[in-house]
Amino acid sequence: MSGASDWRDQDSRARKLARAEFGKPLLLAAGAGSGKTAALVARIAVWCLGPGWERAGDQLGSTDARARARYVLERCVAVTFTEKAATEMEDRIGAALAGFAARRAASEVLPEFTLAEIGLGPEEAADRAAALLDAFEHLRIGTLHAFCARLLREHALDSGLHPAFEIDADETALARACREQVGLGIAAAYGAPGDPHALALA
């Protein structure tokens, strides 16, 4: 049984590190259903309530809760592969913040978490969470495609793209363009009588 206990201890330490270490990059590697999304939700919630909130105050030189909340959320990005996963993550972060705003016990909101980890009391955490919920639309959670598309649209001229470009994630636009080009090519080939290649293609 000590082996299982060791694994649980390592897992617990890794989860705590994932939600509390912001001084260097981290890589989380785990199998399906192991709680990666829960770890990311905890990381974002803890960042927004703690270190991110403090950094916003330092950068803005302001104690205005609304301004700080917006500043924190605008600088927090979560990228995933599917719209479903992005929606789930956004819902779970919102639920965590709502839990703190309602002054629920921290361990109920985020398993194994205590506000002491970020030096907050329940009242201060609730006030920060309420401000973050008011500015929640500024949190950027989406797919990899959506994240890249937003960056490219913001810098469309620099990237040489038309600002109204679209992402063809399911390749339907590519298939349509191919059909159109083949159709144009066949029509042009028919205009040259006796083209054996056009007749073979037809």
Side-chain angles (χ1 to χ4, degrees):
M1 290 300 282
S2 64
S5 178
D6 290 344
W7 281 107
R8 278 193 291 273
D9 289 344
Q10 288 180 29
D11 182 69
S12 181
R13 285 195 301 271
R15 288 175 191 276
K16 183 173 182 179
L17 187 67
R19 70 174 176 260
E21 174 56 64
F22 298 105
K24 57 188 174 186
L26 291 178
L27 171 66
L28 294 179
S34 60
K36 292 186 298 296
T37 300
L40 290 172
V41 166
R43 182 172 178 79
I44 291 169
V46 170
W47 166 258
C48 290
L49 289 168
W53 188 273
E54 299 301 329
R55 183 178 293 181
D58 294 342
Q59 294 294 318
L60 294 173
S62 169
T63 58
D64 178 61
R66 295 187 73 120
R68 284 172 84 158
R70 180 173 177 166
Y71 187 91
V72 171
L73 293 171
E74 285 179 341
R75 286 156 181 78
C76 187
V77 176
V79 179
T80 186
F81 289 103
T82 67
E83 291 291 347
K84 181 181 177 184
T87 300
E88 179 189 355
M89 191 178 296
E90 184 173 348
D91 289 347
R92 288 171 70 172
I93 293 167
L97 293 175
F100 285 113
R103 293 170 174 77
R104 286 175 46 209
S107 60
E108 291 178 21
V109 179
L110 300 175
E112 302 179 16
F113 174 69
T114 65
L115 289 171
E117 288 181 31
I118 52 176
L120 286 182
E123 296 296 319
E124 191 172 12
D127 291 344
R128 291 182 182 187
L132 289 161
L133 283 171
D134 284 344
F136 197 64
E137 71 273 11
H138 296 286
L139 179 62
R140 298 180 182 189
I141 298 179
T143 62
L144 187 57
H145 286 94
F147 176 72
C148 294
R150 182 170 50 242
L151 287 178
L152 290 171
R153 279 195 184 91
E154 289 172 359
H155 306 283
L157 295 178
D158 293 333
S159 59
L161 293 172
H162 191 285
F165 78 90
E166 295 181 11
I167 300 295
D168 184 27
D170 59 1
E171 297 185 354
T172 54
L174 176 63
R176 186 174 59 248
C178 289
R179 284 193 303 273
E180 289 173 3
Q181 288 303 309
V182 169
L184 290 172
I186 290 174
Y190 285 158
D195 185 338
H197 301 296
L199 292 174
L201 181 60

